Amino acid sequence: MQAFSILIILAIVVTIMEVFVAIFLVKKHGMSVWRTLYTSLPVVVIVWVVAFIYT
């Protein structure tokens, strides 16, 4: 159960950080929302899949 909580917490933290990265890319670099989703979404999906596989 310890590994479950650590991996889920890490997945939540990575998801929040990717949201901030996407907002930064839209505001500071003028990227479109779809392009930031294209770059950030795979990271979030991989982290959550790994979190669920190893728990």
Side-chain angles (χ1 to χ4, degrees):
M1 193 66 182
Q2 180 73 16
F4 177 76
S5 62
I6 291 173
L7 287 174
I8 296 300
I9 289 171
L10 284 174
I12 291 170
V13 168
V14 168
T15 303
I16 292 170
M17 293 304 292
E18 283 295 325
V19 168
F20 286 133
V21 167
I23 292 171
F24 174 78
L25 289 174
V26 168
K27 288 189 175 188
K28 298 291 182 181
H29 293 285
M31 289 177 67
S32 68
V33 175
W34 294 111
R35 190 165 177 198
T36 58
L37 279 176
Y38 181 74
T39 58
S40 296
L41 194 61
V43 174
V44 173
V45 169
I46 290 168
V47 167
W48 279 100
V49 166
V50 169
F52 282 123
I53 286 175
Y54 286 107
T55 54

